[in-house]
Amino acid sequence: MTFPDKNSIRYIFPVVATRECLACHTQSHVGAVHGAIDITYPITSLKVSFDEVINTIVAYTLIVIALVFVILYLKLRYLVVLPIARLVGVMRSVTLDMDLNRRVADGNWLVELRHLGEYFNHLLQTVQEYNAKLEELSVRDPLTGLYNRRKFHEFMRYEIIRAERHNQGFSVIMIDLDNFKYINDTFGHP
């Protein structure tokens, strides 16, 4: 291989006689050189083809990287972002509307997000139970289980309205136990 000038490559290939050649060329012998093939190729053509190869490799690499990023984006969006957005939506509904009956739907692929939803649902259930207990304690006496003074006033307002509507009277009976505090202090509330 030689370089006759800067813009081309020259390759000289010798034509060597083989056994098959001896069938026609009887005067020759195996290994005799009977000529040369002279190939001259411009380097600019090689550079273009090398540039094309590099550009093709870079293009395919960029396409593969883009596909990987699209797949990662879609997986993150559907497996992480949307379940978190649904959880935030339920949280917003619970806090703004005070709707304690809302729950996070199951079916998350990621174990951590599924646990987060389960814990949030458990928290809502606990708050709902405490809310029911507080409502019960706000209208009943914890010792006797009877309605308290607040509930008595509510019943009294209702009965007054009902008596006026039906043009009927009603009565209230009050029972007072003397020295009941002494019994509580001596024997205890239970």
Side-chain angles (χ1 to χ4, degrees), residues 163-176:
E164 288 175 351
R165 184 176 352 137
H166 295 293
N167 201 17
Q168 291 182 343
F170 70 95
S171 62
V172 176
I173 300 173
M174 183 174 152
I175 301 173
D176 185 24

Side-chain angles (χ1 to χ4, degrees), residues 3-42:
F3 298 99
D5 60 10
K6 292 181 179 179
N7 295 328
S8 64
I9 295 176
R10 184 176 181 200
Y11 185 71
I12 299 173
F13 182 74
V15 178
V16 180
T18 61
R19 267 184 213 255
E20 293 85 24
C21 296
L22 296 180
C24 296
H25 304 280
T26 58
Q27 302 294 324
S28 182
H29 62 281
V30 175
V33 176
H34 292 287
I37 299 175
D38 188 0
I39 301 172
T40 303
Y41 196 76

Side-chain angles (χ1 to χ4, degrees), residues 134-141 146-148 150-151:
L134 285 174
E135 280 184 28
E136 186 67 22
L137 288 174
S138 72
V139 295
R140 291 194 179 268
D141 179 52
L146 299 174
Y147 288 117
N148 60 13
R150 183 173 151 233
K151 193 68 172 177

Side-chain angles (χ1 to χ4, degrees), residues 94-125:
V94 167
T95 56
L96 294 179
D97 303 335
M98 294 305 290
D99 182 12
L100 297 177
N101 293 320
R102 290 285 312 264
R103 295 294 184 263
V104 177
D106 292 337
N108 292 327
W109 288 87
L110 297 176
V111 175
E112 292 83 5
L113 288 176
R114 187 175 31 220
H115 288 315
L116 188 63
E118 289 170 2
Y119 292 140
F120 184 72
N121 288 341
H122 180 70
L123 176 70
L124 285 177
Q125 183 66 33

Side-chain angles (χ1 to χ4, degrees), residues 156-169:
M156 186 61 78
R157 268 184 263 129
Y158 174 75
E159 286 300 322
I160 290 172
I161 292 170
R162 193 170 73 133
E164 288 175 351
R165 184 176 352 137
H166 295 293
N167 201 17
Q168 291 182 343

